[in-house]
Amino acid sequence: MVGVGASTAAADTVIDSIPVGELPTGVAITPDGSRVYVTNGGNSRVSVIETATNTMVDTIAVWDSPQGVAVTPDGSRVYVAHPFREVVAVIETATNTMVDVVSVGTLPTGVAVNPSGSHVYVTNQLDDSVSVIETAGNNLVDTVTVGDLPLGVAVSPEGSRAYVTNVSDKTVSVIDTATNTEVDTIGVGDQPMAVAVNPSGSHIYVTNQVDNSVSVIETADNNLVDTVTVGALPSGVAASPDGSRVYVTNAGENTVSVIDTATNTEVDTIRVGGRPVGVAATPEGSRVYVANVDGNTVSVIAVERCLGSLCIDTGALVGRGSMGSSGS
């Protein structure tokens, strides 16, 4: 679709709603963009979505109440946190089966894999720590002390830093991955939840659930440089592959806020399903997938870009892909 739009504005549209398991929360996409893995906290399953058709093509049995999820850079493994079992499950994507379980700390929730795929970082909420897993043997190799009630975690593009949100402290811990030590603490908003790093590694974005805001941090000196007002109860956050946009799920009003990173302003609001939490963008940037806890669905957003008066709906260019899922 080509049409008239505001200069450099985003005009994204929900093009599909995919039924998944009970209480979907975490979302991760394979590096080739062909599959989406969704944790279903209510039924001990991970749903697998095929992005070409936007249909659920597999369901993987894991342990109870899966939450955080991350895919390795080569796409061969998926790591899933189980808060009430104090473990991380390892899924082999070739067979979509659970092949290993790694014991970690108490109430593990957030999961992130470094760019080389050699290590996985897991936040343990009640231990105030981050577990470091070596993926070669799926062994716990280190534990890093961080702030109070750590939840979200993200790794920088070059792998030298891991960023962890500490809910009770209103801070973000900065971990040096070479030494696995906390080297800095950054003050942010009230009840920081999720964190995302932009593709260049120059900035990180943190959702603050009580403040209804997103903190923008410059990584060169770990300084808070801006705060963006978004919707009610912001939860998940994801940066677009080109770094021009940040997507924030607002669990309190069933929307996704779109932030223009050049101006750090909210430029669009997209209505999705009930209580959206997890969010992830495809590697080419044409789609954003959002897990909706209420309704047990995943919303598919087609990304539209406008340059001057020319708007291109990338969803229309690459195909919407319904094939049995309910369009919206």
Side-chain angles (χ1 to χ4, degrees), residues 54 224 287:
N54 283 334
L224 178 67
R287 295 283 201 281

Side-chain angles (χ1 to χ4, degrees), residues 122-213:
V122 183
T123 57
N124 305 302
Q125 290 192 63
L126 297 188
D127 282 353
D128 299 338
S129 70
V130 172
S131 295
V132 184
I133 299 169
E134 190 175 54
T135 58
N138 287 326
N139 294 317
L140 178 67
V141 293
D142 215 338
T143 302
V144 185
T145 299
V146 289
D148 192 8
L149 211 65
L151 182 61
V153 58
V155 182
S156 60
E158 81 287 350
S160 66
R161 294 289 186 270
Y163 300 93
V164 177
T165 59
N166 302 304
V167 176
S168 295
D169 280 356
K170 304 178 186 179
T171 63
V172 171
S173 292
V174 183
I175 296 173
D176 183 334
T177 59
T179 60
N180 284 332
T181 55
E182 183 189 61
V183 294
D184 207 348
T185 304
I186 310 161
V188 288
D190 196 352
Q191 201 168 310
M193 302 292 286
V195 56
V197 188
N198 70 347
S200 69
S202 63
H203 293 82
I204 65 173
Y205 300 84
V206 179
T207 55
N208 305 302
Q209 196 158 80
V210 172
D211 289 349
N212 297 334
S213 69

Side-chain angles (χ1 to χ4, degrees), residues 225-251:
V225 294
D226 215 337
T227 302
V228 185
T229 299
V230 290
L233 302 180
S235 298
V237 60
S240 63
D242 64 2
S244 67
R245 296 291 186 268
V246 168
Y247 295 88
V248 178
T249 56
N250 302 307

Side-chain angles (χ1 to χ4, degrees), residues 15 58 65 69 99 103-104 124 127 139 206 254 262 280 304 306 323:
I15 59 168
D58 210 345
S65 303
V69 57
V99 294
S103 295
V104 289
N124 305 302
D127 282 353
N139 294 317
V206 179
N254 306 335
E304 183 176 73
C306 298
M323 293 294 291

